[in-house]
Amino acid sequence: MNQRQRLSLYHTHIKLLGFDLNSLNQNSSSSSSDAVSFSRNGYAVSCTEIVGVVVSHDLKPNRFLKFSVDDGTACVGCILWLNHLTSPYFASRHQPDVRIMGNMATHFASQIRVGIVVRVRGKFSSYRGVVQITVSDVVVEDDPNAEILHWLDSMRLALKCYDLSPAPT
Amino acid sequence: MKPSSEFFKDGASLRVTGKLVEYSVETAIAIIVDGNVNLKIDTQHLRELSIRIGSIYQFIGELLVQSDNEATLQARVGRNVDGIDLNLYHQSLQLLRQFQADHLNKRTN
C-alpha cells in the first residue's frame, strides 16, 4: 500500500478496537474551537466503526444521547446529537435535510438500550480530553457472532493495512 | 471460576460467557458453565432479561469475592447469545489478547 492509499484512510470508517481507539493521538489547534484532529500510528484519521455491547445510556431529550460501548477491550464513549431542529450549528443547512437527519437520529436513539450489541459509525471527537465518537449511524446487531467477527476484522485490518509501514516523518 | 485464575479479583470488571444451568427465581442467582468451570451470576439488576435454562448467556459485571473464596458476578448487563460459535469465540479471544498485548508492548518500547 503506497502513501496515497494510506492517506485515503482519512475518509474511511476504520474498524478499531476500543483500546486502540482510546489511545489515538489528539492534536489541538488554537485556530478553531473544534479543531481537534486525530492520528493513529502517525496517520490522520477521522471516522471509525466499532461493535460492542451498550453498557450505559444517558438520554437528554431533544439534546443528545450519550452511551458507552464495551467491545471487550475497552469502553468507548459515544454521543448521538438530537438537537438538529434547535442547534444554530444546523441553522444554515438545507432544512429538509436537517429534518431527515434529525428523524434518523431520533430513530437510532429509540433503538439503543443497555445490553444490546450495536455497530456504531461516526467521527472522532474529543470531550474533556478523551476520544469519543460523534455518532452518524447505528445498526443493532442480532447475530451473536457479530462482535467476534468485528474483532477479527479489526485485527486483520490493523495488521494488513493500518499498521503496514512506519509513519512518514 | 477458580481462585487460581488471573481474573479472580474482588471488584474486577469481567465479561463472562457460558451455558445457564441453574436459576433461582427467589434469589435471582443463576449459574453458568463453560467447560468444567462454573460461576454464580447475580441477575437482580437485569429485570428485562428473559432467563432460559440451557441457553448461552453473556454477562458483564463486577466480581464479588467473599471470605470463603466464593465468587459471584454482580451482573449489570446480560444477553442471550444462543447461536454463538464458542470455538470461534475462544480462539478469537486468544488472538485478541495477544494482539492487545503486542500493541501495548509496541507502545511502551
Side-chain angles (χ1 to χ4, degrees), chain A:
Chain A
M1 180 172 284
N2 62 31
Q3 175 73 8
R4 179 171 291 184
Q5 286 171 311
R6 287 294 303 267
L7 288 173
S8 71
L9 287 176
Y10 184 74
H11 295 294
T12 301
H13 287 88
I14 58 172
K15 294 187 178 187
L16 286 184
L17 296 165
F19 83 94
D20 203 351
L21 188 149
N22 285 339
S23 60
L24 290 177
N25 290 321
Q26 298 184 51
N27 311 294
S28 304
S29 163
S30 55
S31 60
S32 169
S33 59
D34 61 352
V36 178
S37 59
F38 300 86
S39 62
R40 182 187 180 281
N41 199 25
Y43 289 93
V45 290
S46 67
C47 312
T48 191
E49 177 178 320
I50 61 165
V51 176
V53 181
V54 177
V55 292
S56 73
H57 180 281
D58 178 15
L59 175 67
K60 301 282 185 233
N62 300 317
R63 291 173 61 198
F64 60 78
L65 168 64
K66 280 176 82 167
F67 60 101
S68 301
V69 173
D70 181 334
D71 74 349
T73 68
C75 281
V76 176
C78 300
I79 183 152
L80 173 61
W81 290 105
L82 301 170
N83 60 350
H84 296 74
L85 300 180
T86 54
S87 167
Y89 180 80
F90 295 101
S92 61
R93 304 274 289 268
H94 186 234
Q95 286 308 299
D97 290 349
V98 172
R99 270 196 294 278
I100 290 170
M101 289 163 62
N103 288 341
M104 284 180 64
T106 303
H107 172 66
F108 293 143
S110 70
Q111 293 184 301
I112 296 169
R113 58 188 167 79
V114 170
I116 63 170
V117 172
V118 288
R119 182 178 301 274
V120 175
R121 284 185 178 182
K123 290 192 166 186
F124 297 116
S125 54
S126 180
Y127 182 65
R128 295 180 175 166
V130 177
V131 183
Q132 64 174 10
I133 299 176
T134 298
V135 177
S136 53
D137 63 89
V138 177
V139 176
V140 176
E141 289 286 353
D142 294 323
D143 180 353
N145 297 298
E147 209 179 5
I148 305 170
L149 297 174
H150 179 77
W151 291 348
L152 296 172
D153 266 347
S154 300
M155 289 187 283
R156 180 179 55 81
L157 284 164
L159 295 170
K160 304 234 178 215
C161 183
Y162 310 152
D163 288 349
L164 263 195
S165 55
T169 52

Side-chain angles (χ1 to χ4, degrees), chain A residues 17 19-20 23 40 52-55 70-74 113-117 141 143-145 147-149 151-152 154-156 158-159 163, chain B residues 15 46 48 58 60 76-86 88-101 103-104 106-107:
Chain A
L17 296 165
F19 83 94
D20 203 351
S23 60
R40 182 187 180 281
V53 181
V54 177
V55 292
D70 181 334
D71 74 349
T73 68
R113 58 188 167 79
V114 170
I116 63 170
V117 172
E141 289 286 353
D143 180 353
N145 297 298
E147 209 179 5
I148 305 170
L149 297 174
W151 291 348
L152 296 172
S154 300
M155 289 187 283
R156 180 179 55 81
L159 295 170
D163 288 349
Chain B
R15 177 194 293 228
L46 308 179
E48 291 179 14
Q58 191 168 75
I60 297 175
R76 53 188 157 84
V77 175
R79 63 188 182 113
N80 181 308
V81 289
D82 278 342
I84 193 170
D85 184 334
L86 283 172
L88 180 67
Y89 177 73
H90 289 300
Q91 287 181 45
S92 303
L93 198 54
Q94 297 300 320
L95 287 172
L96 186 69
R97 287 177 181 157
Q98 188 59 53
F99 178 81
Q100 197 169 356
H103 263 246
L104 292 174
K106 214 185 285 178
R107 232 177 268 154

Side-chain angles (χ1 to χ4, degrees), chain B residues 1 4-5 11 19 40 47 61-62 64 74 86 95 105:
Chain B
M1 177 172 268
S4 56
S5 165
K19 182 190 269 195
K40 270 189 188 175
R47 290 179 191 155
E62 282 63 47
L64 176 69
Q74 308 285 317
L86 283 172
L95 287 172
N105 284 341

